[in-house]
């Protein structure tokens, strides 16, 4: 894939009563990791692999704006009350014209960390500096 000048990530995640939608310049953690148990049977020359579990990953959204500002505060407020809301949706890479180039589907994401912008009256700041969500992988 060629370098996409002006490209950005469009994020849409929704859960019970909340929609997290916005654009970000950097997204990382679009991984999936599985743990297998190796089992060797007598008389066989090859091992058998059995899925043990999937390992949680951390989806990191950086340098962006969220169009529904209340979504972040709603997620943080519920987390402070001991309630976590599962989010599901998509992360889409778009070129400078807004044409989708690649899409990842996210299921079961939970807010883990939020870092707001550094406030400086001499510079314009983005609404979200960094947001981390823990989830079980993407497809």
């Amino acid at each position: 894939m060629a370098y996409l000048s002006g490209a950005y990530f469009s994020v849409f995640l929704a859960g019970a009563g909340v929609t997290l939608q916005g654009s970000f310049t950097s997204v990382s953690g679009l991984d999936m990791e599985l743990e297998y148990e190796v089992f060797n049977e007598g008389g066989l020359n090859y091992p058998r692999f059995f899925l043990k579990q999937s390992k949680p990953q951390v989806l990191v959204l950086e340098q962006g704006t969220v169009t529904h500002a209340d979504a972040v505060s709603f997620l943080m407020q519920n987390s402070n009350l001991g309630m976590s809301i599962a989010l599901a949706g998509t992360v889409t890479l778009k070129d400078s014209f807004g044409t989708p180039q690649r899409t990842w589907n996210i299921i079961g994401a939970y807010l883990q960390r939020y870092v707001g912008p550094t406030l400086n009256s001499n510079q314009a700041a983005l609404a979200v500096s960094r947001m981390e969500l823990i989830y079980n992988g993407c497809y």
Side-chain angles (χ1 to χ4, degrees):
M1 184 166 108
Y3 175 73
L4 301 172
S5 177
Y8 64 97
F9 292 92
S10 175
V11 176
F12 178 82
L13 297 171
V18 63
T19 300
L20 180 66
Q21 185 174 2
S23 300
F24 296 86
T25 58
S26 175
V27 173
S28 63
L30 293 168
D31 305 327
M32 184 162 192
E33 186 175 349
L34 303 171
E35 186 176 341
Y36 289 92
E37 185 173 338
V38 180
F39 181 74
N40 290 312
E41 293 179 332
L44 295 177
N45 293 330
Y46 57 91
R48 296 182 67 188
F49 298 98
F50 296 97
L51 178 62
K52 193 173 181 180
Q53 67 183 11
S54 63
K55 293 185 178 182
Q57 303 297 313
V58 177
L59 177 65
V60 180
L61 310 173
E62 294 183 290
Q63 303 299 321
T65 56
V66 176
T67 55
H68 292 83
D70 291 340
V72 176
S73 62
F74 185 73
L75 288 170
M76 289 175 17
Q77 181 182 18
N78 281 327
S79 296
N80 286 334
L81 295 173
M83 298 180 290
S84 56
I85 297 174
L87 302 173
T90 60
V91 174
T92 304
L93 172 64
K94 293 188 176 184
D95 63 15
S96 58
F97 300 108
T99 306
Q101 298 296 315
R102 170 87 196 266
T103 299
W104 294 267
N105 294 305
I106 306 295
I107 297 174
Y110 297 91
L111 180 64
Q112 178 175 314
R113 184 174 184 214
Y114 170 79
V115 179
T118 302
L119 301 176
N120 184 341
S121 62
N122 295 324
Q123 295 177 344
L126 296 172
V128 175
S129 182
R130 182 181 179 96
M131 185 179 295
E132 296 178 7
L133 299 116
I134 190 165
Y135 75 111
N136 281 327
C138 62
Y139 62 95

